[in-house]
Amino acid sequence: MRVLFFAHLKDITGCAEMNLPGGDLDADGLWQKLIEAHPGMEQVRASVRLAKNSEYVGRDARFTVADEVALIPSVSGG
């Protein structure tokens, strides 16, 4: 599964994207793997939205190795 990081998430992970091995995961399983790979992600989890194949998804989403997952941080501005 291809995972994309944007904005300050690139600073936390040290990369713009990563390939995450594994099979069928729910959102909690995905977060667990991301935090194992990049422990700093735990502190931003509550403020990050997940998108699967270019569409926002909720906590009930399932992810497969064929999916592209984007982690979208909350953004403020004026």
Side-chain angles (χ1 to χ4, degrees):
M1 149 183 352
R2 183 176 178 212
V3 180
L4 307 174
F5 303 103
F6 295 97
H8 67 281
L9 301 180
K10 289 194 276 187
D11 295 330
I12 293 171
T13 62
C15 59
E17 67 180 74
M18 69 179 283
N19 287 315
L20 191 64
D24 188 41
L25 295 171
D26 62 9
D28 287 333
L30 173 67
W31 274 107
Q32 182 179 356
K33 286 191 172 272
L34 290 170
I35 291 167
E36 286 173 6
H38 304 285
M41 293 296 290
E42 186 168 14
Q43 66 189 13
V44 297
R45 179 178 177 171
S47 63
V48 172
R49 299 245 355 236
L50 298 176
K52 174 179 145 180
N53 301 324
S54 301
E55 293 191 22
Y56 285 112
V57 294
R59 293 188 55 144
D60 60 342
R62 305 271 331 158
F63 302 92
T64 69
V65 69
D67 290 324
E68 179 180 80
V69 180
L71 280 77
I72 314 293
S74 60
V75 180
S76 63

